[in-house]
Amino acid sequence: MRFWIRTAAMAAVMVSLIGSFAHAETLRGDQLLIMLTDDSSSGMQANVNRYRAMGYVQGLLDAYTVFSTRDPSLNVFCMPDQGVSTAQARILIVKWLREHPKRLHEQARLLVFHALAEAFPCRDASAGQKPGPSEKVVIPRQN
């Protein structure tokens, strides 16, 4: 009996993960905002939504780190050397999304980058500022 319960639970988790991966391709800003701030669902569902949303954000940051370290000209934002906690990234993204409601129909991935670029701009070497250590992209540390 335990075997079937575990199997059913694993199947449910796999279906949820597959659904979230398919969902991530077309996620809009309004959907991400709801997932990040979900207080209307049951406690368990609200937590699942927040974790899915933060997994989405973390995946974007991981991909950004890979590409921007290979080609620094792709830097859109520059995290502080000590990184940013997942909680802080969530707060910054939610704040930006709430301040730009007219853009919530756009792709979430672009809006996340806009939020982080506004929060963590790179120094402009062409304006006479020397590039410094704050121009490294650091993956946010986990809480």
Side-chain angles (χ1 to χ4, degrees):
M1 184 65 165
R2 282 186 174 169
F3 171 78
W4 292 112
I5 293 172
R6 286 183 190 162
T7 303
M10 284 300 276
V13 168
M14 294 303 289
V15 167
S16 173
L17 289 174
I18 290 168
S20 70
F21 291 136
H23 181 73
E25 291 182 47
T26 59
L27 193 64
R28 294 184 321 261
D30 59 335
Q31 294 167 318
L32 180 62
L33 181 59
I34 288 168
M35 291 170 68
L36 288 169
T37 60
D38 186 8
D39 292 326
S40 62
S41 302
S42 68
M44 176 68 102
Q45 186 60 45
N47 285 337
V48 168
N49 286 341
R50 278 194 284 275
Y51 285 125
R52 282 179 59 197
M54 287 315 301
Y56 177 83
V57 169
Q58 187 65 51
L60 290 175
L61 292 172
D62 289 345
Y64 175 76
T65 300
V66 168
F67 289 108
S68 66
T69 53
R70 291 194 65 158
D71 184 357
S73 69
L74 297 175
N75 279 350
V76 176
F77 55 89
C78 299
M79 296 276 196
D81 287 338
Q82 67 275 18
V84 175
S85 71
T86 304
Q88 183 182 3
R90 178 182 171 273
I91 290 166
L92 291 169
I93 293 165
V94 167
K95 178 182 180 290
W96 194 93
L97 292 172
R98 286 182 172 157
E99 290 174 353
H100 298 87
K102 291 182 179 181
R103 299 193 62 187
L104 293 178
H105 66 282
E106 296 178 33
Q107 294 178 5
R109 61 180 161 249
L110 299 177
L111 300 180
V112 168
F113 286 137
H114 280 290
L116 295 174
E118 191 174 295
F120 304 107
C122 296
R123 292 188 212 159
D124 186 6
S126 64
Q129 294 176 331
K130 289 178 126 185
S134 66
E135 296 202 22
K136 291 189 236 171
V137 177
V138 179
I139 299 171
R141 55 177 197 253
Q142 299 296 316
N143 290 345

